Coordinates of all heavy atoms in Angstrom, one line a residue:
M1 N 3.2 16.2 24.9 CA 3.7 15.7 23.7 C 2.7 14.8 22.9 O 2.0 14.0 23.6 CB 5.0 14.9 24.0 CG 5.7 14.2 22.8 SD 7.0 13.0 23.2 CE 8.3 14.1 23.1
S2 N 2.6 14.9 21.7 CA 1.6 14.2 20.9 C 2.2 12.8 20.6 O 3.4 12.5 20.6 CB 1.3 14.9 19.6 OG 2.4 15.0 18.8
S3 N 1.2 11.9 20.3 CA 1.6 10.5 19.9 C 2.3 10.5 18.5 O 2.0 11.3 17.7 CB 0.4 9.6 19.7 OG -0.3 9.6 20.9
P4 N 3.3 9.6 18.3 CA 3.9 9.5 17.0 C 2.9 9.1 15.9 O 2.0 8.3 16.3 CB 5.0 8.5 17.3 CG 4.6 7.7 18.4 CD 3.8 8.6 19.3
R5 N 3.2 9.5 14.8 CA 2.3 9.0 13.6 C 2.9 7.7 13.2 O 4.0 7.3 13.5 CB 2.4 10.0 12.5 CG 1.8 11.4 12.8 CD 1.8 12.3 11.6 NE 1.3 13.6 12.0 CZ 0.1 14.0 12.2 NH1 -0.8 13.2 12.3 NH2 -0.1 15.3 12.5
L6 N 2.0 6.9 12.6 CA 2.4 5.6 12.1 C 2.5 5.6 10.6 O 1.4 5.9 10.0 CB 1.4 4.5 12.6 CG 2.0 3.1 12.4 CD1 1.6 2.3 13.6 CD2 1.4 2.4 11.2
A7 N 3.6 5.2 10.0 CA 3.8 5.1 8.6 C 3.5 3.6 8.2 O 4.1 2.7 8.9 CB 5.1 5.5 8.1
H8 N 2.8 3.4 7.2 CA 2.4 2.0 6.8 C 2.7 1.9 5.3 O 2.0 2.6 4.5 CB 0.8 1.8 7.0 CG 0.3 0.5 6.7 ND1 0.7 -0.8 7.3 CD2 -0.6 0.1 5.7 CE1 0.0 -1.7 6.7 NE2 -0.8 -1.2 5.7
N9 N 3.7 1.2 5.0 CA 4.2 1.1 3.6 C 4.0 -0.4 3.2 O 4.6 -1.3 3.8 CB 5.6 1.5 3.5 CG 5.8 3.0 3.8 OD1 5.4 3.8 3.0 ND2 6.4 3.3 4.9
V10 N 3.3 -0.6 2.1 CA 3.1 -2.0 1.5 C 3.6 -2.0 0.2 O 3.3 -1.1 -0.7 CB 1.6 -2.2 1.6 CG1 1.3 -3.6 1.1 CG2 1.0 -1.9 3.0
F11 N 4.3 -3.1 -0.1 CA 4.9 -3.3 -1.5 C 4.3 -4.6 -2.1 O 4.5 -5.7 -1.5 CB 6.4 -3.3 -1.4 CG 7.0 -1.9 -1.0 CD1 7.1 -1.7 0.4 CD2 7.2 -1.0 -1.9 CE1 7.6 -0.5 0.8 CE2 7.6 0.3 -1.4 CZ 7.9 0.5 -0.1
F12 N 3.7 -4.5 -3.2 CA 3.0 -5.6 -3.8 C 3.8 -6.1 -5.0 O 4.2 -5.3 -5.9 CB 1.6 -5.2 -4.4 CG 0.7 -4.7 -3.3 CD1 0.6 -3.3 -3.0 CD2 -0.1 -5.5 -2.6 CE1 -0.3 -2.9 -2.0 CE2 -1.1 -5.1 -1.7 CZ -1.1 -3.7 -1.4
K13 N 4.1 -7.4 -5.0 CA 4.7 -8.1 -6.2 C 3.5 -8.8 -6.9 O 2.7 -9.5 -6.3 CB 5.7 -9.1 -5.8 CG 6.4 -9.7 -7.0 CD 7.6 -10.6 -6.5 CE 8.3 -11.2 -7.7 NZ 9.5 -11.9 -7.2
L14 N 3.3 -8.5 -8.2 CA 2.2 -9.0 -8.9 C 2.5 -10.3 -9.7 O 3.7 -10.4 -10.3 CB 1.6 -8.0 -9.8 CG 1.3 -6.7 -9.2 CD1 0.6 -5.7 -10.2 CD2 0.2 -6.9 -8.1
K15 N 1.6 -11.2 -9.8 CA 1.7 -12.3 -10.7 C 1.7 -11.9 -12.1 O 2.5 -12.4 -12.9 CB 0.5 -13.4 -10.5 CG 0.6 -13.9 -9.1 CD -0.7 -14.8 -8.9 CE -0.8 -15.4 -7.5 NZ -2.0 -16.1 -7.3
D16 N 0.9 -10.9 -12.4 CA 0.8 -10.3 -13.8 C 1.2 -8.9 -13.6 O 0.3 -8.1 -13.3 CB -0.6 -10.5 -14.4 CG -0.7 -9.8 -15.7 OD1 0.3 -9.1 -16.2 OD2 -1.8 -9.8 -16.4
P17 N 2.5 -8.5 -13.9 CA 2.9 -7.1 -13.8 C 2.7 -6.3 -15.0 O 3.4 -5.3 -15.2 CB 4.4 -7.3 -13.4 CG 4.8 -8.5 -14.1 CD 3.6 -9.4 -14.1
S18 N 1.8 -6.6 -15.8 CA 1.6 -5.8 -17.1 C 1.1 -4.4 -16.6 O 0.6 -4.2 -15.5 CB 0.5 -6.4 -17.9 OG -0.8 -6.5 -17.2
P19 N 1.4 -3.4 -17.5 CA 0.9 -2.0 -17.1 C -0.5 -2.0 -16.8 O -0.9 -1.2 -15.9 CB 1.3 -1.3 -18.4 CG 2.4 -2.0 -19.0 CD 2.2 -3.5 -18.8
A20 N -1.4 -2.7 -17.4 CA -2.8 -2.6 -17.1 C -3.1 -3.2 -15.7 O -3.9 -2.6 -15.0 CB -3.5 -3.4 -18.2
K21 N -2.4 -4.2 -15.3 CA -2.6 -4.8 -14.0 C -2.0 -3.9 -12.8 O -2.6 -3.8 -11.8 CB -2.1 -6.2 -13.9 CG -3.0 -7.2 -14.7 CD -4.3 -7.3 -14.1 CE -5.1 -8.4 -14.7 NZ -6.5 -8.5 -14.2
V22 N -0.9 -3.3 -13.1 CA -0.3 -2.3 -12.2 C -1.3 -1.2 -12.0 O -1.6 -0.8 -10.9 CB 1.1 -1.8 -12.7 CG1 1.6 -0.7 -11.9 CG2 2.1 -3.0 -12.6
R23 N -1.8 -0.6 -13.1 CA -2.8 0.5 -13.0 C -4.0 0.1 -12.3 O -4.5 0.8 -11.4 CB -3.1 1.0 -14.4 CG -4.2 2.0 -14.5 CD -4.1 3.2 -13.7 NE -2.8 3.9 -13.7 CZ -2.4 4.7 -12.7 NH1 -3.3 5.0 -11.7 NH2 -1.3 5.3 -12.7
E24 N -4.5 -1.1 -12.5 CA -5.7 -1.6 -11.8 C -5.5 -1.6 -10.3 O -6.3 -1.3 -9.5 CB -6.0 -3.0 -12.4 CG -7.2 -3.7 -11.8 CD -7.4 -5.0 -12.4 OE1 -7.7 -5.1 -13.7 OE2 -7.4 -6.0 -11.7
L25 N -4.3 -2.1 -9.8 CA -4.1 -2.1 -8.4 C -3.9 -0.7 -7.8 O -4.4 -0.4 -6.8 CB -2.8 -3.0 -8.1 CG -2.6 -3.2 -6.6 CD1 -3.7 -3.8 -5.8 CD2 -1.3 -4.0 -6.4
I26 N -3.2 0.1 -8.5 CA -3.1 1.5 -8.1 C -4.5 2.2 -7.9 O -4.8 2.8 -6.9 CB -2.2 2.4 -9.0 CG1 -0.7 1.9 -8.9 CG2 -2.2 3.8 -8.7 CD1 0.2 2.4 -10.0
D27 N -5.4 2.0 -8.9 CA -6.7 2.5 -8.9 C -7.5 1.9 -7.8 O -8.2 2.7 -7.1 CB -7.4 2.3 -10.2 CG -6.9 3.1 -11.3 OD1 -6.1 4.1 -11.1 OD2 -7.1 2.8 -12.5
A28 N -7.3 0.6 -7.5 CA -8.0 0.0 -6.3 C -7.5 0.6 -5.0 O -8.3 0.8 -4.1 CB -7.8 -1.5 -6.3
C29 N -6.2 0.8 -4.9 CA -5.7 1.5 -3.7 C -6.3 2.9 -3.4 O -6.8 3.2 -2.4 CB -4.2 1.7 -3.8 SG -3.2 0.2 -3.7
K30 N -6.4 3.6 -4.5 CA -7.0 5.0 -4.4 C -8.6 4.9 -4.1 O -9.1 5.7 -3.4 CB -6.9 5.7 -5.7 CG -5.3 6.1 -5.9 CD -5.1 6.8 -7.2 CE -3.6 7.1 -7.4 NZ -3.3 7.8 -8.6
K31 N -9.2 3.9 -4.6 CA -10.6 3.7 -4.4 C -10.9 3.3 -3.0 O -11.8 3.8 -2.3 CB -11.2 2.7 -5.3 CG -12.7 2.4 -5.2 CD -13.2 1.4 -6.2 CE -14.6 1.1 -6.0 NZ -15.1 0.2 -7.0
Y32 N -10.2 2.3 -2.4 CA -10.6 1.6 -1.2 C -9.7 2.0 0.0 O -10.2 1.9 1.1 CB -10.4 0.1 -1.4 CG -11.5 -0.5 -2.2 CD1 -11.1 -1.2 -3.4 CD2 -12.8 -0.5 -1.9 CE1 -12.1 -1.7 -4.2 CE2 -13.7 -1.0 -2.7 CZ -13.4 -1.7 -3.8 OH -14.3 -2.2 -4.7
L33 N -8.5 2.6 -0.1 CA -7.6 2.7 1.0 C -7.2 4.2 1.3 O -6.4 4.4 2.0 CB -6.3 1.9 0.7 CG -6.5 0.5 0.4 CD1 -5.2 -0.2 0.1 CD2 -7.3 -0.3 1.5
N34 N -8.1 5.1 0.7 CA -7.9 6.5 1.0 C -9.1 7.1 1.7 O -9.3 8.3 1.6 CB -7.5 7.2 -0.3 CG -6.9 8.6 0.0 OD1 -6.4 8.9 1.0 ND2 -7.1 9.4 -1.0
V35 N -9.9 6.3 2.3 CA -11.2 6.7 2.7 C -11.4 6.6 4.2 O -12.3 7.2 4.8 CB -12.4 6.0 2.0 CG1 -12.3 6.2 0.5 CG2 -12.4 4.5 2.3
Q36 N -10.5 6.0 4.9 CA -10.6 5.7 6.4 C -10.1 7.0 7.2 O -9.3 7.8 6.7 CB -9.8 4.6 6.8 CG -10.2 3.2 6.3 CD -9.7 3.0 4.8 OE1 -9.0 3.8 4.2 NE2 -10.2 1.9 4.2
P37 N -10.8 7.2 8.3 CA -10.5 8.4 9.1 C -9.0 8.2 9.7 O -8.6 7.1 9.8 CB -11.5 8.4 10.2 CG -12.2 7.1 10.2 CD -11.9 6.5 8.8
G38 N -8.4 9.3 9.9 CA -7.1 9.2 10.6 C -5.9 9.2 9.6 O -4.7 9.2 10.0
I39 N -6.1 9.2 8.3 CA -5.1 9.2 7.3 C -4.6 10.7 7.1 O -5.4 11.6 6.8 CB -5.5 8.6 6.0 CG1 -5.9 7.1 6.1 CG2 -4.4 8.8 4.9 CD1 -6.5 6.5 4.9
V40 N -3.3 10.9 7.3 CA -2.8 12.3 7.1 C -1.9 12.3 5.7 O -1.6 13.4 5.3 CB -1.9 12.7 8.3 CG1 -2.9 12.9 9.5 CG2 -0.8 11.9 8.6
F41 N -1.5 11.1 5.2 CA -0.9 11.1 3.9 C -1.2 9.8 3.3 O -1.2 8.8 3.9 CB 0.7 11.2 4.1 CG 1.4 11.1 2.8 CD1 1.6 12.2 2.0 CD2 1.9 9.8 2.4 CE1 2.2 12.1 0.8 CE2 2.6 9.7 1.2 CZ 2.8 10.8 0.4
F42 N -1.5 9.9 1.9 CA -1.7 8.7 1.2 C -1.0 8.8 -0.2 O -1.1 10.0 -0.8 CB -3.2 8.6 0.9 CG -3.6 7.5 -0.2 CD1 -3.8 6.2 0.2 CD2 -3.6 7.9 -1.5 CE1 -4.1 5.3 -0.8 CE2 -3.9 6.9 -2.5 CZ -4.1 5.6 -2.1
A43 N -0.5 7.8 -0.7 CA 0.1 7.8 -2.1 C 0.1 6.3 -2.5 O 0.4 5.4 -1.6 CB 1.5 8.4 -2.2
A44 N 0.0 6.0 -3.8 CA 0.1 4.6 -4.3 C 0.7 4.9 -5.8 O 0.2 5.8 -6.5 CB -1.3 4.0 -4.4
G45 N 1.7 4.0 -6.1 CA 2.2 4.2 -7.4 C 3.1 3.0 -7.8 O 3.4 2.1 -7.0
A46 N 3.6 3.0 -9.0 CA 4.4 2.0 -9.6 C 5.9 2.2 -9.2 O 6.3 3.3 -9.0 CB 4.2 1.9 -11.1
L47 N 6.6 1.1 -9.3 CA 8.1 1.2 -9.1 C 8.7 2.2 -10.1 O 8.2 2.2 -11.2 CB 8.6 -0.2 -9.4 CG 10.1 -0.3 -9.5 CD1 10.7 -0.3 -8.1 CD2 10.5 -1.7 -10.2
C48 N 9.6 3.0 -9.7 CA 10.3 3.9 -10.5 C 11.4 3.2 -11.4 O 12.4 2.9 -10.7 CB 10.9 5.1 -9.7 SG 11.7 6.4 -10.8
A49 N 11.1 2.9 -12.6 CA 12.1 2.1 -13.4 C 13.5 2.8 -13.5 O 14.4 2.1 -13.7 CB 11.5 1.9 -14.8
E50 N 13.5 4.1 -13.5 CA 14.8 4.8 -13.6 C 15.8 4.7 -12.6 O 17.0 4.9 -12.7 CB 14.6 6.3 -14.0 CG 13.9 6.6 -15.2 CD 12.3 6.5 -15.1 OE1 11.8 6.3 -14.0 OE2 11.7 6.5 -16.1
L51 N 15.3 4.3 -11.4 CA 16.2 4.2 -10.2 C 16.5 2.7 -10.0 O 15.8 1.9 -9.5 CB 15.5 4.7 -8.9 CG 15.2 6.2 -9.0 CD1 14.5 6.7 -7.7 CD2 16.4 7.0 -9.2
A52 N 17.7 2.4 -10.4 CA 18.2 1.0 -10.4 C 19.6 0.9 -9.7 O 20.4 0.1 -10.2 CB 18.1 0.4 -11.8
R53 N 19.8 1.7 -8.7 CA 21.1 1.6 -8.0 C 21.2 0.3 -7.3 O 20.2 -0.3 -7.0 CB 21.2 2.8 -7.0 CG 21.2 4.1 -7.7 CD 21.2 5.3 -6.7 NE 20.0 5.2 -5.9 CZ 19.9 5.6 -4.6 NH1 21.0 6.1 -4.0 NH2 18.8 5.5 -3.9
P54 N 22.4 -0.1 -6.9 CA 22.5 -1.4 -6.2 C 21.7 -1.4 -4.8 O 21.3 -2.6 -4.4 CB 24.0 -1.5 -5.9 CG 24.6 -0.7 -7.0 CD 23.7 0.4 -7.3
V55 N 21.4 -0.3 -4.2 CA 20.7 -0.2 -3.0 C 19.2 -0.3 -3.2 O 18.5 -0.5 -2.2 CB 21.0 1.0 -2.2 CG1 22.5 0.9 -1.7 CG2 20.7 2.3 -2.8
N56 N 18.7 -0.1 -4.4 CA 17.2 -0.1 -4.6 C 16.7 -1.6 -4.6 O 17.2 -2.4 -5.4 CB 16.9 0.5 -6.0 CG 17.1 2.1 -6.0 OD1 18.1 2.6 -6.5 ND2 16.2 2.7 -5.3
D57 N 15.7 -1.8 -3.8 CA 15.0 -3.0 -3.8 C 14.0 -2.9 -5.0 O 13.1 -2.0 -5.0 CB 14.3 -3.3 -2.5 CG 13.5 -4.6 -2.4 OD1 13.2 -5.1 -3.5 OD2 13.3 -5.0 -1.3
R58 N 14.1 -3.8 -5.9 CA 13.2 -3.7 -7.2 C 12.3 -4.9 -7.3 O 11.8 -5.2 -8.4 CB 14.1 -3.5 -8.3 CG 15.0 -2.3 -8.2 CD 15.8 -2.0 -9.4 NE 15.2 -2.0 -10.7 CZ 14.4 -1.1 -11.2 NH1 14.2 0.1 -10.5 NH2 13.8 -1.2 -12.3
D59 N 12.1 -5.7 -6.2 CA 11.3 -6.9 -6.2 C 9.9 -6.6 -5.9 O 9.3 -7.3 -5.0 CB 12.0 -8.0 -5.3 CG 11.4 -9.3 -5.6 OD1 11.0 -9.6 -6.7 OD2 11.3 -10.1 -4.7
W60 N 9.3 -5.6 -6.5 CA 7.9 -5.3 -6.3 C 7.4 -4.5 -7.5 O 8.2 -4.0 -8.4 CB 7.7 -4.6 -5.0 CG 8.5 -3.3 -4.9 CD1 9.8 -3.2 -4.5 CD2 8.1 -1.9 -5.2 NE1 10.3 -1.8 -4.5 CE2 9.3 -1.1 -5.0 CE3 6.9 -1.3 -5.6 CZ2 9.1 0.3 -5.1 CZ3 6.9 0.0 -5.8 CH2 8.0 0.8 -5.6
H61 N 6.1 -4.2 -7.6 CA 5.5 -3.5 -8.7 C 4.7 -2.3 -8.3 O 4.6 -1.4 -9.0 CB 4.6 -4.5 -9.6 CG 5.4 -5.6 -10.0 ND1 5.3 -6.9 -9.5 CD2 6.3 -5.7 -11.0 CE1 6.1 -7.7 -10.1 NE2 6.7 -7.1 -11.0
V62 N 4.0 -2.4 -7.2 CA 3.1 -1.3 -6.7 C 3.5 -1.0 -5.3 O 3.4 -1.9 -4.4 CB 1.6 -1.6 -6.9 CG1 0.7 -0.5 -6.2 CG2 1.2 -1.8 -8.4
G63 N 3.6 0.3 -4.9 CA 3.9 0.7 -3.6 C 2.7 1.5 -3.0 O 2.1 2.4 -3.8
L64 N 2.3 1.2 -1.8 CA 1.2 1.9 -1.1 C 1.9 2.6 0.1 O 2.6 1.9 0.9 CB 0.1 0.9 -0.7 CG -1.0 1.5 0.3 CD1 -1.8 2.6 -0.4 CD2 -1.9 0.4 0.8
H65 N 1.6 3.9 0.3 CA 2.2 4.6 1.3 C 1.1 5.4 2.1 O 0.5 6.2 1.6 CB 3.3 5.6 0.8 CG 4.1 4.9 -0.2 ND1 5.3 4.1 0.2 CD2 4.2 4.8 -1.5 CE1 5.8 3.6 -0.8 NE2 5.2 4.1 -2.0
L66 N 1.0 5.0 3.4 CA 0.0 5.7 4.2 C 0.7 6.2 5.5 O 1.6 5.5 6.1 CB -1.1 4.8 4.6 CG -2.0 4.3 3.6 CD1 -2.7 3.0 3.9 CD2 -3.1 5.3 3.2
V67 N 0.3 7.4 6.0 CA 0.7 7.8 7.3 C -0.6 8.1 8.1 O -1.5 8.8 7.6 CB 1.6 9.1 7.3 CG1 1.9 9.6 8.7 CG2 2.9 8.8 6.5
F68 N -0.7 7.5 9.2 CA -1.9 7.7 10.1 C -1.5 8.6 11.2 O -0.4 8.7 11.7 CB -2.3 6.3 10.7 CG -2.8 5.4 9.6 CD1 -2.0 4.5 9.0 CD2 -4.1 5.4 9.2 CE1 -2.4 3.6 8.0 CE2 -4.6 4.5 8.2 CZ -3.7 3.6 7.7
V69 N -2.6 9.2 11.7 CA -2.4 10.2 12.9 C -1.9 9.5 14.1 O -1.1 10.1 14.9 CB -3.7 10.9 13.2 CG1 -4.8 10.0 13.7 CG2 -3.5 12.1 14.1
D70 N -2.2 8.2 14.2 CA -1.6 7.5 15.3 C -1.9 5.9 15.1 O -2.5 5.5 14.1 CB -2.2 7.8 16.7 CG -3.8 7.8 16.8 OD1 -4.4 7.0 15.9 OD2 -4.3 8.5 17.6
K71 N -1.4 5.1 16.0 CA -1.5 3.7 15.9 C -3.0 3.3 15.9 O -3.4 2.3 15.2 CB -0.7 2.9 16.9 CG -0.7 1.4 16.7 CD 0.0 0.7 17.8 CE -0.1 -0.8 17.7 NZ -1.5 -1.3 17.8
A72 N -3.8 3.9 16.7 CA -5.2 3.6 16.8 C -5.9 3.7 15.5 O -6.7 2.9 15.1 CB -5.9 4.4 17.9
A73 N -5.6 4.8 14.7 CA -6.2 5.0 13.4 C -5.7 3.9 12.5 O -6.5 3.4 11.7 CB -5.8 6.3 12.8
H74 N -4.5 3.5 12.5 CA -4.0 2.4 11.7 C -4.7 1.1 12.0 O -5.1 0.4 11.1 CB -2.5 2.2 11.9 CG -2.0 0.9 11.4 ND1 -2.0 -0.3 12.3 CD2 -1.5 0.5 10.2 CE1 -1.5 -1.3 11.6 NE2 -1.2 -0.9 10.3
D75 N -4.9 0.8 13.3 CA -5.6 -0.4 13.7 C -7.0 -0.4 13.3 O -7.5 -1.5 12.8 CB -5.5 -0.6 15.2 CG -4.1 -0.8 15.8 OD1 -3.2 -1.0 14.9 OD2 -3.9 -0.7 17.0
A76 N -7.7 0.7 13.3 CA -9.1 0.8 12.8 C -9.1 0.6 11.3 O -10.0 -0.1 10.7 CB -9.7 2.2 13.1
Y77 N -8.1 1.1 10.6 CA -8.0 0.9 9.1 C -7.9 -0.6 8.8 O -8.5 -1.0 7.8 CB -6.8 1.7 8.6 CG -6.2 1.2 7.3 CD1 -6.6 1.8 6.1 CD2 -5.1 0.3 7.4 CE1 -6.0 1.4 4.9 CE2 -4.5 0.0 6.1 CZ -4.9 0.5 5.0 OH -4.3 0.1 3.8
Q78 N -7.1 -1.3 9.6 CA -6.9 -2.7 9.3 C -8.2 -3.5 9.4 O -8.4 -4.5 8.7 CB -5.9 -3.3 10.3 CG -4.5 -2.8 10.1 CD -3.9 -3.3 8.7 OE1 -4.3 -4.3 8.2 NE2 -3.0 -2.5 8.2
D79 N -9.2 -3.0 10.2 CA -10.5 -3.7 10.5 C -11.6 -3.1 9.6 O -12.7 -3.6 9.7 CB -10.9 -3.6 11.9 CG -9.9 -4.4 12.8 OD1 -9.4 -5.4 12.3 OD2 -9.7 -4.0 14.0
D80 N -11.3 -2.1 8.8 CA -12.2 -1.4 8.0 C -12.8 -2.3 6.9 O -12.0 -3.0 6.2 CB -11.7 -0.1 7.4 CG -12.8 0.8 6.8 OD1 -13.2 0.6 5.7 OD2 -13.2 1.7 7.5
A81 N -14.1 -2.2 6.6 CA -14.7 -3.1 5.5 C -14.1 -2.8 4.2 O -14.0 -3.7 3.3 CB -16.2 -2.9 5.6
T82 N -13.8 -1.5 3.9 CA -13.2 -1.2 2.6 C -11.8 -1.8 2.4 O -11.5 -2.2 1.3 CB -13.2 0.3 2.3 OG1 -12.5 1.0 3.4 CG2 -14.6 0.9 2.2
H83 N -11.0 -1.9 3.5 CA -9.7 -2.6 3.5 C -9.9 -4.0 3.1 O -9.2 -4.6 2.3 CB -9.1 -2.4 4.8 CG -7.7 -3.0 4.9 ND1 -7.5 -4.1 5.5 CD2 -6.5 -2.5 4.5 CE1 -6.2 -4.5 5.4 NE2 -5.6 -3.5 4.8
D84 N -10.9 -4.6 3.8 CA -11.2 -6.1 3.6 C -11.6 -6.3 2.1 O -11.3 -7.2 1.4 CB -12.4 -6.6 4.5 CG -11.8 -6.6 5.9 OD1 -10.6 -6.6 6.2 OD2 -12.7 -6.6 6.8
K85 N -12.5 -5.4 1.5 CA -13.0 -5.5 0.2 C -11.8 -5.3 -0.8 O -11.7 -6.1 -1.8 CB -14.0 -4.4 -0.1 CG -14.7 -4.6 -1.5 CD -16.0 -4.0 -1.5 CE -16.8 -4.1 -2.8 NZ -17.1 -5.5 -3.1
F86 N -10.8 -4.4 -0.5 CA -9.6 -4.2 -1.3 C -8.9 -5.6 -1.4 O -8.5 -6.0 -2.5 CB -8.7 -3.2 -0.7 CG -7.4 -3.1 -1.4 CD1 -7.2 -2.5 -2.6 CD2 -6.3 -3.7 -0.7 CE1 -5.9 -2.5 -3.2 CE2 -5.1 -3.6 -1.2 CZ -4.8 -3.1 -2.5
I87 N -8.7 -6.2 -0.3 CA -7.9 -7.5 -0.3 C -8.7 -8.5 -1.1 O -8.1 -9.2 -1.9 CB -7.6 -7.9 1.2 CG1 -6.7 -6.9 1.9 CG2 -7.2 -9.3 1.2 CD1 -6.6 -7.1 3.4
E88 N -10.0 -8.7 -0.8 CA -10.7 -9.6 -1.5 C -10.7 -9.5 -3.0 O -10.6 -10.5 -3.7 CB -12.2 -9.6 -1.0 CG -13.2 -10.5 -1.6 CD -14.6 -10.1 -1.1 OE1 -14.8 -9.9 0.0 OE2 -15.5 -10.3 -2.0
E89 N -10.9 -8.3 -3.5 CA -10.9 -8.0 -4.9 C -9.6 -8.1 -5.6 O -9.5 -8.3 -6.9 CB -11.6 -6.7 -5.2 CG -13.0 -6.7 -4.9 CD -13.7 -5.3 -5.3 OE1 -13.0 -4.5 -5.9 OE2 -14.9 -5.2 -5.0
N90 N -8.5 -8.0 -4.9 CA -7.1 -7.9 -5.6 C -6.2 -9.0 -5.3 O -5.2 -9.1 -6.0 CB -6.5 -6.5 -5.2 CG -7.3 -5.4 -5.8 OD1 -7.3 -5.1 -7.0 ND2 -8.3 -4.7 -5.0
K91 N -6.3 -9.7 -4.2 CA -5.3 -10.7 -3.8 C -5.0 -11.8 -4.8 O -3.9 -12.3 -4.7 CB -5.6 -11.3 -2.4 CG -6.9 -12.2 -2.4 CD -7.1 -12.7 -1.1 CE -8.3 -13.6 -1.0 NZ -8.6 -14.2 0.3
A92 N -5.9 -12.1 -5.7 CA -5.7 -13.1 -6.7 C -4.5 -12.9 -7.5 O -3.8 -13.8 -8.0 CB -6.9 -13.4 -7.5
N93 N -4.1 -11.6 -7.7 CA -3.0 -11.2 -8.6 C -1.6 -11.0 -7.7 O -0.7 -10.5 -8.3 CB -3.2 -10.0 -9.5 CG -2.2 -9.8 -10.6 OD1 -1.6 -10.8 -11.1 ND2 -2.0 -8.6 -11.0
W94 N -1.7 -11.2 -6.5 CA -0.5 -10.9 -5.7 C 0.4 -12.1 -5.6 O 0.0 -13.2 -5.1 CB -0.9 -10.5 -4.3 CG -1.7 -9.2 -4.2 CD1 -1.8 -8.3 -5.2 CD2 -2.5 -8.8 -3.1 NE1 -2.7 -7.3 -4.7 CE2 -3.1 -7.6 -3.4 CE3 -2.7 -9.3 -1.8 CZ2 -3.9 -6.9 -2.6 CZ3 -3.6 -8.6 -1.0 CH2 -4.2 -7.4 -1.3
A95 N 1.6 -12.0 -6.0 CA 2.6 -13.0 -5.8 C 3.3 -12.8 -4.5 O 3.9 -13.8 -4.0 CB 3.7 -12.9 -7.0
G96 N 3.2 -11.6 -3.9 CA 3.9 -11.4 -2.6 C 3.5 -10.0 -2.1 O 3.2 -9.1 -2.9
V97 N 3.4 -9.9 -0.8 CA 3.1 -8.6 -0.2 C 4.0 -8.4 1.0 O 4.2 -9.3 1.8 CB 1.6 -8.5 0.3 CG1 1.3 -7.2 1.0 CG2 0.7 -8.7 -0.8
R98 N 4.7 -7.2 1.0 CA 5.6 -6.9 2.1 C 5.1 -5.7 2.8 O 4.7 -4.7 2.1 CB 7.0 -6.8 1.7 CG 7.6 -8.2 1.2 CD 9.0 -8.1 0.8 NE 9.1 -7.2 -0.3 CZ 10.2 -6.6 -0.8 NH1 11.4 -6.8 -0.1 NH2 10.2 -5.8 -1.8
V99 N 5.0 -5.7 4.1 CA 4.5 -4.5 4.9 C 5.6 -4.0 5.8 O 6.3 -4.8 6.5 CB 3.3 -4.9 5.7 CG1 2.8 -3.7 6.5 CG2 2.2 -5.5 4.8
F100 N 5.8 -2.7 5.8 CA 6.8 -2.0 6.6 C 6.1 -1.0 7.4 O 5.6 0.0 6.8 CB 7.9 -1.5 5.8 CG 8.7 -2.4 5.0 CD1 8.3 -2.8 3.8 CD2 9.9 -3.1 5.6 CE1 9.0 -3.8 3.1 CE2 10.5 -4.0 4.9 CZ 10.1 -4.4 3.5
D101 N 6.0 -1.1 8.8 CA 5.3 -0.2 9.6 C 6.4 0.6 10.5 O 7.3 -0.2 11.0 CB 4.3 -0.8 10.5 CG 3.1 -1.3 9.7 OD1 2.6 -0.7 8.7 OD2 2.6 -2.4 10.1
S102 N 6.3 1.8 10.6 CA 7.3 2.5 11.6 C 6.6 3.7 12.2 O 5.6 4.3 11.6 CB 8.5 3.0 10.7 OG 8.1 3.9 9.7
L103 N 7.0 4.1 13.4 CA 6.6 5.3 14.0 C 7.4 6.4 13.5 O 8.7 6.3 13.5 CB 6.7 5.1 15.5 CG 5.8 4.0 16.2 CD1 6.1 3.8 17.6 CD2 4.3 4.2 15.9
V104 N 6.7 7.5 13.1 CA 7.4 8.6 12.6 C 7.0 9.9 13.2 O 6.0 10.0 13.8 CB 7.2 8.7 11.0 CG1 7.8 7.5 10.3 CG2 5.8 8.8 10.7

């Protein structure tokens, strides 16, 4: 039996949620967080404005969605220099960051 994959979902709330700043963060995700080995799925995008049901959590602006081949690949990603550079270059506009990790 193979190891379960690890889903890593990050939701960013921005200090400045203007369309330009949302696009800037999405572009940074694509530049820095889609290059590590062990990623089997990557997506980054803005909140879907049309979905506003009572169950929708809407307290964020950009979602990052990664699935890793295993927990070891996720752990290596966390220590990767490009991950650190992403944080360094973008954290000034973060009002909040929530991370949801699950085995899938």
